[in-house]
Amino acid sequence: TQLLEQSPQFLSIQEGENLTVYCNSSSVFSSLQWYRQEPGEGPVLLVTVVTGGEVKKLKRLTFQFGDARKDSSLHITAAQPGDTGLYLCAGDSGGSNYKLTFGKGTLLTVNP
Amino acid sequence: NAGVTQTPKFRILKIGQSMTLQCTQDMNHNYMYWYRQDPGMGLKLIYYSVGAGITDKGEVPNGYNVSRSTTEDFPLRLELAAPSQTSVYFCASSSTGTGYTEAFFGQGTRLTVV
């Protein structure tokens, strides 16, 4: 069974601070996705990283895929209250599986 | 531009009752999934389908059944509801045209079994 460990589990910061959350596994993934989930809603896809060492930027969010494709990080610059939510990483093992393995998530609260 | 639609949004069941959670998608995706989400536990895969007429078990299938008669619809059936099935249920679909799986989720069904 492939597992994805996310850290920290909870993070509470002030508006304007920077933060990084991590997603780690002992397994190799063909791709890894990050989702954000707001209360009462379903997860929404933010980004997919595919190539080892890949870095993608989405405004103030920077996503990195580890060289060995076993881990990923999400860095948020100058966090805003609108960034508050549950951040989930999910790994795709590829092949004909087409199933995602989800981490337990990082619950981020950005205080004004 | 509906995407993935789940009904109902909320439901309270008594122990032993049965119900069907409905899920439909209008994106012509082949792959569909049912997850449950419990506090602090992430998303657990219950069942998935790779196309009409084909379904398979995920991590936590016990107490649930599914069917996939059309590309659009993927209902989840709970038989003999138990308190352990109190959870938030999410349906998702994905297309693998890009070569990897990217899931689109419905808004969820919050189920309480009392």
Side-chain angles (χ1 to χ4, degrees):
Chain A
T1 303
Q2 295 176 311
L3 293 175
L4 280 168
E5 301 287 341
Q6 288 190 244
S7 61
Q9 188 175 358
F10 301 97
L11 187 57
S12 180
I13 63 171
Q14 295 299 121
E15 182 175 3
E17 294 183 358
N18 301 332
L19 67 112
T20 302
V21 298
Y22 300 92
C23 175
N24 296 298
S25 177
S26 58
S27 303
V28 175
F29 292 98
S30 64
S31 69
L32 196 140
Q33 290 108 45
W34 285 92
Y35 295 80
R36 181 168 68 207
Q37 184 179 18
E38 298 184 12
E41 302 289 332
V44 175
L45 179 66
L46 295 175
V47 77
T48 299
V49 286
V50 179
T51 305
E54 182 177 6
V55 176
K56 280 192 174 179
K57 292 192 175 184
L58 186 66
K59 297 183 180 178
R60 294 175 294 98
L61 279 62
T62 301
F63 304 86
Q64 185 162 8
F65 201 13
D67 290 342
R69 306 210 314 277
K70 294 182 179 181
D71 54 82
S72 181
S73 63
L74 159 59
H75 182 79
I76 301 179
T77 303
Q80 298 177 359
D83 295 326
T84 293
L86 179 67
Y87 289 81
L88 295 159
C89 66
D92 179 359
S93 56
S96 59
N97 199 336
Y98 299 123
K99 292 187 291 183
L100 293 174
T101 299
F102 280 86
K104 294 182 179 181
T106 293
L107 185 60
L108 171 66
T109 303
V110 182
N111 303 296
Chain B
N1 201 18
V4 179
T5 303
Q6 291 183 237
T7 56
K9 290 191 176 180
F10 303 93
R11 184 71 186 268
I12 299 175
L13 276 183
K14 293 185 178 180
I15 294 172
Q17 286 186 323
S18 301
M19 76 164 294
T20 299
L21 282 66
Q22 301 293 344
C23 176
T24 187
Q25 54 97 2
D26 63 0
M27 296 175 283
N28 201 33
H29 286 167
N30 287 329
Y31 295 84
M32 295 188 75
Y33 313 84
W34 275 104
Y35 292 90
R36 61 178 286 172
Q37 185 176 39
D38 300 304
M41 297 302 293
L43 291 160
K44 298 288 188 184
L45 183 64
I46 304 171
Y47 270 95
Y48 69 103
S49 169
V50 301
I54 306 171
T55 62
D56 206 349
K57 296 177 180 179
E59 298 176 73
V60 289
N62 291 342
Y64 308 95
N65 276 299
V66 294
S67 59
R68 184 96 181 271
S69 58
T70 66
T71 299
E72 295 78 18
D73 300 307
F74 190 40
L76 177 71
R77 177 82 176 163
L78 278 71
E79 304 282 2
L80 299 175
S84 60
Q85 293 178 305
T86 293
S87 188
V88 182
Y89 292 84
F90 288 100
C91 178
S93 70
S94 72
S95 169
T96 56
T98 53
Y100 42 85
T101 306
E102 293 180 325
F104 295 85
F105 286 84
Q107 288 194 311
T109 296
R110 183 175 294 275
L111 175 67
T112 303
V113 182
V114 295

